[in-house]
């Protein structure tokens, strides 16, 4: 597991990485929130699925104001998820099965309960304690206006005013996300030193890498100038250009430093950037040879079900990442976006973080959504590079649309006063069994978000032995991808098929995706795997097939 590979063949270049959202994966304690012993107990299912690595969303100590992306102690496990010993056991068990483990690192902001922020509040303006975060005096005669006009990603102003120790209204602090998530000041060397310590803490425990949260946000433009985003901007920054808090040049120096730090360790440890940027070309700046190893390809995730756009984004991705010697990554779902089994059937645009609820226009047709999701995944897993899967997509789970408002927990829902549903609908705890309390998520029936009754039909146990299930499709795709070395392959376009078809060769297979509304005759070859039934050499709309031979 730990021996370094020859340059160019490192594991992360071709890996299929499965995202675990710990609070919704499996719950051993029975309190309704998933935990690390739950993850350990289900590793055999992930081995059977055939993934190379898992990435765990944050399980570190946190008041859970943003489901763990508000960390109060970076070097401990939150009691709701277990203990450090539970983590070590999970890591050892994953490694014993040949599964690598990536943990989430949240360097843009801490929780407001982090000891540094508590000390900053207790200290005076201008103190070294305040200098670890971004405190500024307000505008206006009494400092009653925020220092600039920036808005939080979750809605509302990005600044909150504090009350000074003597009880008077005081300075303001910056939080690009919730008020409970103050941004660090990365020009401060203490912050840099502290994150080196945190990286080493987890590397010393044996983790294989880090997914770096808001990797494009750490450095803010000097002077913090006003900025008004265009109305079509995605919530995490997609679609925006020249934003004074995203993608500033200064961040690259931080990742070069981390690259060197990781290189001191054996076994090709990796950094993956969560960076929502307007183009693949800009995202590729994060993965130059001395920076991060991978970056999420959100441009791909945001591409609609449209043949021409898919061809373009695939070509751009391979060229853009390839130009800096990095693998392209591919991703269709995660804990921040509408699940692709629903998103691909939406008839309106729905930027990340908006969610779907009862009032959402253009509600997705679940049958069309699942058919397209299976076809989209069959296309994605044939592409060279590394792919990310989000827990539950292997079951074909849709977004949960009908959560009661009283159950909603995403800060987006509260900070937009119910205007955006936010991300709860993609975070509902997984169904493992069709029967039993909470569909096998735990044995008490508790669940931090209510599970819909339709979960029974998606449960893993009913899909396991069904040759036509989405779970069986994923297993077959992963096994064939591995056996045929597709992750390390080369893509060669096939242009002889109709416009609404995406078709290419990768090594021993020919991939044909029908992204239109008309059936297409298939080229010759034996069906290796198909996202839906193929009859008499005809590929129906919303279907993808892998063919071998000929
Ligand atoms: C991106 C994470 O994926 C999201 O869930 C979180 O709310 C923000 N970063 C803030 O940490």
């Amino acid at each position: 597991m730990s021996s370094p590979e020859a340059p160019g063949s490192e594991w992360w270049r071709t890996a299929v990485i499965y995202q675990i959202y710990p609070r919704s994966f499996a719950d051993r304690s029975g309190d309704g929130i998933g935990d690390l012993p739950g993850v350990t107990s289900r590793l055999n299912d992930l081995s059977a699925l055939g993934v190379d690595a898992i990435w765990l969303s944050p399980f570190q100590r946190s008041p859970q104001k943003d489901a763990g992306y508000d960390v109060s102690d970076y070097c401990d496990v939150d009691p709701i998820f277990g203990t450090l010993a539970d983590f070590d056991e999970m890591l050892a068990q994953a490694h014993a099965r040949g599964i690598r483990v990536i943990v989430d690192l949240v360097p843009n902001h801490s929780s407001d309960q982090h000891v540094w922020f508590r000390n900053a509040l207790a200290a005076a303006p201008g103190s070294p304690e305040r200098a670890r975060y971004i405190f500024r005096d307000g505008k206006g005669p009494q400092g009653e206006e925020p220092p600039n006009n920036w808005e939080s990603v979750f809605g509302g102003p990005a600044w909150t005013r504090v009350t000074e120790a003597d009880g008077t209204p005081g300075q303001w602090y910056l939080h690009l996300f919730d008020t409970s998530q103050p941004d660090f000041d990365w020009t401060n060397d203490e912050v840099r030193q502290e994150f080196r310590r945190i990286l080493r803490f987890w590397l010393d425990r044996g983790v294989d890498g880090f997914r770096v949260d808001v990797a494009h946000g750490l450095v803010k433009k000097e002077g913090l100038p006003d900025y008004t985003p265009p109305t079509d901007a995605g919530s995490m920054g997609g679609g925006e250009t020249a934003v004074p808090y995203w993608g500033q040049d200064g961040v690259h120096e931080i990742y070069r430093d981390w690259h060197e730090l990781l290189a001191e360790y054996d076994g090709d440890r990796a950094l993956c950037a969560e960076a929502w940027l307007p183009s693949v070309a800009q995202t590729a700046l994060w993965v130059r040879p001395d920076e991060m190893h991978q970056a999420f390809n959100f441009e791909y995730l945001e591409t609609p079900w449209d043949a021409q756009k898919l061809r373009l984004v695939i070509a751009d991705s391979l060229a853009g990442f390839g130009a800096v010697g990095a693998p392209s990554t591919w991703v269709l779902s995660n804990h921040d976006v509408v699940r692709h089994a629903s998103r691909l059937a939406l008839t309106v645009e729905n930027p990340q973080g908006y969610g779907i609820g009862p009032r959402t226009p253009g509600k997705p047709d679940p049958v069309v959504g699942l058919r397209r999701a299976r076809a989209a995944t069959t296309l994605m897993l044939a592409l060279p590079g590394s792919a990310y899967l989000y827990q539950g997509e292997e079951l074909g789970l849709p977004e949960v649309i009908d959560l009661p408002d009283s159950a909603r927990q995403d800060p987006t829902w509260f900070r937009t006063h119910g205007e955006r549903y936010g991300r709860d609908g993609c975070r509902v705890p997984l169904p493992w069994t069709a029967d039993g309390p909470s569909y096998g998520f735990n044995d008490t029936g508790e669940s931090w978000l209510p599970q819909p009754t339709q979960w029974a039909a998606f449960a893993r146990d009913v899909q396991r032995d069904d040759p036509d299930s989405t779970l069986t499709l994923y297993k077959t795709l992963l096994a064939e991808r591995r056996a045929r070395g597709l992750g390390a392959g080369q893509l060669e376009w096939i242009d002889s098929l109709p416009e609404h078809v995406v078709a290419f060769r990768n090594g021993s297979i020919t991939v044909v995706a029908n992204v239109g509304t008309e059936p297409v005759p298939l080229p010759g070859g034996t069906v290796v795997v198909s996202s839906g039934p193929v009859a008499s050499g005809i590929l129906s709309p919303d279907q993808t097939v892998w063919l071998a031979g000929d």
Side-chain angles (χ1 to χ4, degrees), residues 152-195:
S152 145
V153 169
F154 294 154
W159 294 91
T160 291
R161 194 170 195 187
V162 303
T163 302
E164 301 297 355
D166 63 2
T168 57
Q171 287 193 301
W172 299 71
Y173 67 89
L174 178 71
H175 51 86
L176 289 182
F177 293 88
D178 190 48
T179 46
S180 61
Q181 295 166 296
D183 283 46
F184 284 115
D185 186 342
W186 274 89
T187 63
N188 185 327
D189 199 52
E190 260 192 284
V191 173
R192 293 182 184 230
Q193 292 297 350
E194 177 63 1
F195 272 88

Side-chain angles (χ1 to χ4, degrees), residues 40-198:
T40 309
S41 73
R42 294 295 187 180
L43 286 171
N44 285 344
D45 294 273
L46 298 182
S47 274
L49 179 59
V51 297
D52 301 302
I54 53 178
W55 146 40
L56 289 104
S57 281
F59 50 78
Q60 292 84 353
R61 251 184 210 272
S62 158
Q64 305 293 321
K65 291 284 166 44
D66 182 21
Y69 283 95
D70 49 316
V71 180
S72 56
D73 183 344
Y74 287 84
C75 297
D76 200 4
V77 171
D78 195 280
I80 63 171
F81 296 122
T83 61
L84 274 172
D86 292 331
F87 175 81
D88 291 340
E89 173 65 10
M90 186 276 301
L91 184 69
Q93 292 289 340
H95 282 170
R97 288 164 178 77
I99 298 175
R100 301 190 195 248
V101 178
I102 292 176
V103 297
D104 221 305
L105 183 76
V106 188
N108 180 65
H109 47 264
S110 70
S111 157
D112 61 356
Q113 298 307 308
H114 191 285
V115 62
W116 273 11
F117 193 72
R118 293 163 72 111
N119 290 344
L121 288 185
S127 59
E129 287 84 355
R130 288 224 171 157
R132 295 162 174 158
Y133 293 90
I134 303 182
F135 279 86
R136 293 288 183 277
D137 294 334
K139 286 187 181 159
Q142 313 296 326
E144 68 278 16
E145 302 282 335
N148 70 22
N149 72 346
W150 294 0
E151 283 190 14
S152 145
V153 169
F154 294 154
W159 294 91
T160 291
R161 194 170 195 187
V162 303
T163 302
E164 301 297 355
D166 63 2
T168 57
Q171 287 193 301
W172 299 71
Y173 67 89
L174 178 71
H175 51 86
L176 289 182
F177 293 88
D178 190 48
T179 46
S180 61
Q181 295 166 296
D183 283 46
F184 284 115
D185 186 342
W186 274 89
T187 63
N188 185 327
D189 199 52
E190 260 192 284
V191 173
R192 293 182 184 230
Q193 292 297 350
E194 177 63 1
F195 272 88
R196 286 189 195 112
R197 183 182 77 84
I198 294 164

Side-chain angles (χ1 to χ4, degrees), residues 241-492:
T241 51
V243 187
Y245 40 86
W246 300 141
Q248 296 296 304
D249 285 346
V251 289
H252 297 289
E253 187 196 315
I254 299 169
Y255 304 133
R256 287 193 192 107
D257 180 42
W258 293 5
H259 183 105
E260 278 178 25
L261 190 152
L262 261 69
E264 290 173 26
Y265 287 80
D266 63 357
D268 296 325
R269 319 277 178 123
L271 294 164
C272 178
E274 190 233 10
W276 293 88
L277 292 156
S279 67
V280 169
Q282 286 182 55
T283 310
L285 296 178
W286 263 252
V287 287
R288 286 175 288 190
D290 57 348
E291 296 196 30
M292 297 217 184
H293 304 86
Q294 288 189 335
F296 287 102
N297 188 344
F298 293 129
E299 183 97 345
Y300 184 71
L301 182 151
E302 291 180 323
T303 303
W305 190 235
D306 174 296
Q308 201 188 343
K309 290 184 174 147
L310 281 166
R311 278 194 295 268
L312 199 65
V313 73
I314 292 169
D316 273 5
S317 304
L318 293 171
F321 289 113
V324 292
S328 183
T329 62
W330 312 102
V331 58
L332 288 165
S333 278
N334 67 30
H335 65 294
D336 288 330
V337 301
V338 171
R339 281 186 177 276
H340 70 283
S342 299
R343 192 181 70 240
L344 294 177
L346 275 175
T347 54
V348 290
E349 219 185 307
N350 193 330
Q352 346 101 15
Y354 280 38
I356 305 181
R359 290 180 285 113
T360 307
K363 263 199 269 310
D365 176 327
V367 175
V368 175
L370 183 55
R371 200 169 61 220
R372 288 190 181 161
R374 290 171 57 116
T377 302
T378 305
L379 172 63
M380 176 178 88
L381 288 175
L383 293 168
S386 169
Y388 278 81
L389 306 177
Y390 175 49
Q391 67 178 39
E393 66 169 85
E394 76 279 20
L395 305 176
L397 292 187
E399 185 84 355
V400 179
I401 295 178
D402 50 5
L403 283 173
D405 288 351
S406 58
R408 295 187 187 279
Q409 312 225 2
D410 186 350
T412 310
W413 167 252
F414 298 103
R415 288 186 62 85
T416 62
H417 307 290
E419 198 184 301
R420 294 192 223 155
Y421 288 102
R423 304 158 295 175
D424 292 323
C426 65
R427 298 176 173 182
V428 174
L430 293 189
W432 294 89
T433 55
D435 302 314
S438 63
Y439 307 103
F441 172 59
N442 57 24
D443 51 21
T444 60
E446 296 292 320
S447 177
W448 71 280
L449 284 172
Q451 298 165 296
T453 49
Q454 78 202 93
W455 253 206
F458 290 98
R460 193 170 304 255
D461 65 345
V462 297
Q463 296 201 37
R464 200 169 278 134
D465 299 320
D466 174 355
D468 299 325
S469 72
T470 304
L471 181 61
T472 302
L473 173 66
Y474 270 68
K475 282 185 185 168
T476 311
L477 291 168
L478 291 172
E480 291 290 341
R481 176 185 167 86
R482 183 188 294 243
R484 295 169 184 273
L486 301 185
Q490 296 286 331
L491 180 142
E492 198 188 314

